[in-house]
Amino acid sequence: MNTVDLGLPVQVPSTALFTDQYEFTMLQAALKAGTADRRSVFEVFTRRLPEGRRYGVVAGTGRVLDAVENFRFDPDVLGFLREHNIVDEPTLHWLSSYRFSGDIWGYPEGEVYFPGSPILRVEGSFAECVLLETVILSILNHDSAIAAAASRMAAAAGGRRLIEMGARRTHELAAVAAARAAYVGGFNSTSDLAAGFRYAIPTVGTSAHAFTLLHDSERDAFRAQVDSLGRSTTLLVDTYDVAEAVRTAVELAGPELGAVRIDSGDLLLVAHRVRQQLDELGARDTKIVVTSDLDEYAIASLAAAPVDAYGVGTQLVTGSGHPTCSMVYKLVARARSADAQAPLEPVAKKSLGGKLSVGGRKWAARRVDADGVAEAEVLGVGAVPSGLADRQLLVELVKGGETVAREPLDVARGRHIAARAGLPMSAVQLSRGEPVIPTEYV
């Protein structure tokens, strides 16, 4: 199935009802009108980046491929549609054999994007493409928002390790997707075992304050943890008195103590004091991990602190203030008839209020300067200029209904690191600003 190639022990259920009802009513009307089989091109894009963001991050592509492969209408799903009179019997008959047989092109996972970028292009009959709108947008909007926040945090961390630990702050299934997106965006590990099980993301975790409070003394708690997990474990030192806890931790584990975790207080001040104390006690290799409602700004403020790793929860899984990317799924071209040879004609919505779209089946390329640094996102319809032919961004993901571009998650993660490094240096500034490069239409 969809994860066999990666050797992951999970099956993805049917995604057929991860839709809005109007997708089915449009299908029914198009079938009746004889327009459902017209070849169509839909594109996913965003008209603007979230306020203050300099670039976006494509994440969730692998999950989109899973969703498309598993978009199936079994008897129970068809029965629900029939019972609630969602569509008529001819439409139910059509749905019973639904299999996406078209093509999908898109920015590869981990790539960066900008306003107007055709992040995903879905081509096939109107009928088979229109049904995928909601499930595609729900995945890409969520995962890309998390990955963008993760990328900003990774840039602020400056190479220090990042732990995703937000599972308790969001829906249990969203938590798994968030951990995956955070890993694409630059995080190193997750506390969520379901994410580790499903996507082979490294998992970490030791103890909470409850474990210390369970025991008669902090010393008893630390001894129990060291006896169970070894001297290389991470001990939580801020339940009572931090200085006393650090002293006890080193007494019990010795200089081999793996790390101490600080979860409250003035993290900048406490981290300096703990580092000094650890060094004086001979635990120079013991790391310091900080948690406590961190975001990219808090991480950046700790750049001068002797911190080795950050644990981030709430702000990460909620997109650090921007939980969606406002991506849309729009018809940009369609054939005048159902004839397979009928040429595509550009179509576009004309609207007041900034909701315009640009018609035509687009290509995208990133122009770079003499130093190889990105200077513009260039979009167009028709022939690609020769100077941009080797800078095209869209890759083939699905061909004739078959996935052709599945890849390990580490590939997407590495791609993002490289893509971010290819942007102007101002891309990683946390100050508010416009997209770091402009979008140009040719």
Side-chain angles (χ1 to χ4, degrees):
M1 200 167 160
N2 52 335
T3 52
V4 168
D5 291 343
L6 302 184
L8 303 182
V10 64
Q11 301 294 313
V12 177
S14 169
T15 53
L17 293 183
F18 293 169
T19 56
D20 288 306
Q21 183 166 323
Y22 80 162
E23 290 162 28
F24 288 101
T25 55
M26 285 190 287
L27 169 65
Q28 177 178 305
L31 288 170
K32 187 172 183 180
T35 53
D37 290 332
R38 289 187 177 186
R39 189 158 61 101
S40 300
V41 179
F42 287 82
E43 288 178 352
V44 174
F45 63 93
T46 184
R47 296 183 176 94
R48 64 191 66 84
L49 297 178
E51 184 180 357
R53 296 290 164 90
R54 315 300 298 276
Y55 62 93
V57 181
V58 178
T61 308
R63 296 208 308 120
V64 166
L65 298 178
D66 292 347
V68 172
E69 286 185 355
N70 291 279
F71 206 91
R72 304 284 187 269
F73 293 85
D74 59 31
D76 287 341
V77 171
L78 293 170
F80 167 81
L81 296 174
R82 177 180 291 109
E83 178 183 354
H84 292 274
N85 297 313
I86 305 297
V87 291
D88 59 20
E89 286 299 323
T91 305
L92 289 169
H93 177 74
W94 188 92
L95 290 171
S96 67
S97 59
Y98 179 91
R99 299 290 186 275
F100 180 73
S101 62
D103 303 326
I104 299 178
W105 290 69
Y107 280 38
E109 191 157 21
E111 184 57 85
V112 296
Y113 70 88
F114 298 91
S117 297
I119 296 162
L120 202 73
R121 189 173 70 217
V122 183
E123 304 182 32
S125 71
F126 176 84
E128 63 182 342
C129 295
V130 74
L131 292 177
L132 300 176
E133 175 183 2
T134 299
V135 68
I136 286 176
L137 288 179
S138 66
I139 293 171
L140 292 179
N141 267 313
H142 174 269
D143 290 22
S144 297
I146 306 304
S151 178
R152 285 163 58 86
M153 293 174 189
R160 296 172 179 177
R161 298 186 67 81
L162 290 161
I163 307 162
E164 185 282 314
M165 47 196 305
R168 65 192 63 192
R169 301 300 190 217
T170 188
H171 185 280
E172 66 272 19
L173 297 182
V176 181
R180 182 187 183 282
Y183 190 69
V184 170
F187 272 58
N188 303 96
S189 57
T190 179
S191 65
D192 191 336
L193 289 179
F197 175 77
R198 180 167 294 190
Y199 297 118
I201 300 170
T203 60
V204 296
T206 51
S207 67
H209 292 104
F211 185 76
T212 300
L213 296 170
L214 168 69
H215 292 81
D216 295 335
S217 69
E218 193 168 53
R219 178 177 293 272
D220 289 344
F222 286 178
R223 181 182 292 110
Q225 185 174 326
V226 170
D227 288 347
S228 175
L229 301 178
R231 295 174 182 268
S232 63
T233 190
T234 298
L235 294 174
L236 180 59
V237 295
D238 71 327
T239 305
Y240 304 118
D241 180 84
V242 173
E244 182 61 31
V246 171
R247 187 177 303 108
T248 301
V250 176
E251 285 178 8
L252 292 172
E256 298 86 8
L257 176 62
V260 295
R261 178 162 74 96
I262 306 166
D263 188 51
S264 59
D266 183 336
L267 296 179
L268 179 62
L269 175 63
V270 175
H272 277 288
R273 287 178 174 174
V274 168
R275 181 74 270 160
Q276 180 180 354
Q277 186 180 10
L278 287 170
D279 291 348
E280 290 173 350
L281 293 171
R284 296 183 177 277
D285 294 329
T286 299
K287 308 298 185 184
I288 296 176
V289 180
V290 296
T291 53
S292 186
D293 294 326
L294 299 177
D295 61 10
E296 59 265 50
Y297 300 101
I299 291 170
S301 73
L302 292 168
V307 172
D308 300 285
Y310 305 92
V312 189
T314 303
Q315 291 300 320
L316 176 62
V317 299
T318 57
S320 195
H322 297 290
T324 181
C325 302
S326 299
M327 293 179 186
V328 294
Y329 183 93
K330 296 298 181 183
L331 182 67
V332 296
R334 52 86 173 164
R336 186 171 289 276
S337 72
D339 185 343
Q341 303 305 314
L344 290 171
E345 299 179 348
V347 295
K349 175 182 179 180
K350 294 183 179 180
S351 173
L352 300 177
K355 285 195 171 184
L356 294 174
S357 58
V358 178
R361 181 181 185 273
K362 297 172 204 64
W363 51 262
R366 189 162 299 143
R367 192 174 68 239
V368 299
D369 63 18
D371 296 318
V373 178
E375 62 179 15
E377 193 88 338
V378 186
L379 313 181
V381 176
V384 181
S386 58
L388 295 173
D390 62 348
R391 303 294 306 174
Q392 293 189 72
L393 293 164
L394 279 81
V395 299
E396 193 170 30
L397 302 171
V398 175
K399 182 176 182 178
E402 298 296 325
T403 300
V404 296
R406 195 172 299 286
E407 60 186 11
L409 201 56
D410 279 328
V411 173
R413 186 172 185 274
R415 179 182 294 118
H416 175 63
I417 293 171
R420 189 178 64 204
L423 297 176
M425 292 182 65
S426 58
V428 296
Q429 291 178 345
L430 296 182
S431 57
R432 294 183 180 275
E434 296 300 313
V436 71
I437 61 174
T439 301
E440 299 177 358
Y441 290 89
V442 299

